[in-house]
Amino acid sequence: MGILRLSHVEVRCPDLELSVAYYTEVVGLIETARESDRVWLKGWDEQQHHSMILRYAPTYGLETLGFKVAEMSDLDEYQERIEQAGISTKRLAAGELGKGSGETLRFTAPSGHVVDLVHGMRQVGNMLPLHNPPPEPLGLTGIHPPRIDHVFLMCEDVDGATTFFTDVLDFRLTEQIVSDDGYQLVTFLERTHTPHDLAFVTGPNAAFHHVAYWVDDWNELRRAADLCAFHGVRIDAGPTRHGATRGWGLYFFDPAGNRNEMYTGGYWADPDREPVTWTEAEMGRAIFYYEGVVDQRFLTEHS
Ligand SMILES: [Fe+2]
């Protein structure tokens, strides 16, 4: 079965309380655990203990990201494959990374990002009963996306990072933006039959472009934009349409400067689907389909 989906991200923030207030009251995630330097949060419909960890740090950026695997044996198999690729790994027992954490295989990807493969994260339920549930719990606040969707990372060698994630970790390439001289500028990779669970864009190694949570439709993006404006959150782009993935998105920044997205739409991606290629000349339309251009700041501003 291998990797099931994106499990979580761990982001740095210099003012933990301010970030907790933003992620619980504006984004509307649910706090599930807390220690002096870390707070664990989840989307309301997620069964697992967390999809977001806020970590106190003097700066912003991505500390780690995690993918959920189906079986404990997947961790053994991937450990062997990753080490055969010349990358050292570390095993962490369930609970070692906080009370809710599962058994973890940790390594640093060629892109410079610290990646955890996780099995058996604590299950806490989705706030709905298992018998005759309503469609949504009462009393949610803010945007309240039901679940995490994808993560967008930066690295110097997008071709190399993409090859590692496809060859060693069994991701499938759905779309790519290719430069005039034949290099991959952006790649979109999936495990969930959606257009992307993970994407890479050219930039500094280990840099973080954004994490996206799912909302159910375009109207929810409009409501998310209303809430961002109301709370004085800096909106970066959208709501708009992506050419690549065919999704709709709204980008904004958390108080530390980490970019967030609310995302919806897209298509079903069968495993035998041929990847779509966008040319460098059409990169603007691939990213912002209506605008047809993407400013350099959007491509270079990161945490
Ligand atoms: Fe995105």
Side-chain angles (χ1 to χ4, degrees), residues 150 152 196 210 212 242 251 261 263:
H150 66 265
F152 224 98
H196 60 336
H210 67 268
H242 300 303
Y251 296 96
E261 182 187 13
Y263 174 87

Side-chain angles (χ1 to χ4, degrees), residues 24-29 139-145 220 223-224 227 231:
T24 56
E25 291 165 30
V26 181
V27 179
L29 301 182
L140 298 174
T141 190
I143 301 166
H144 63 265
E220 289 294 306
R223 200 179 63 82
L227 283 163
H231 287 288

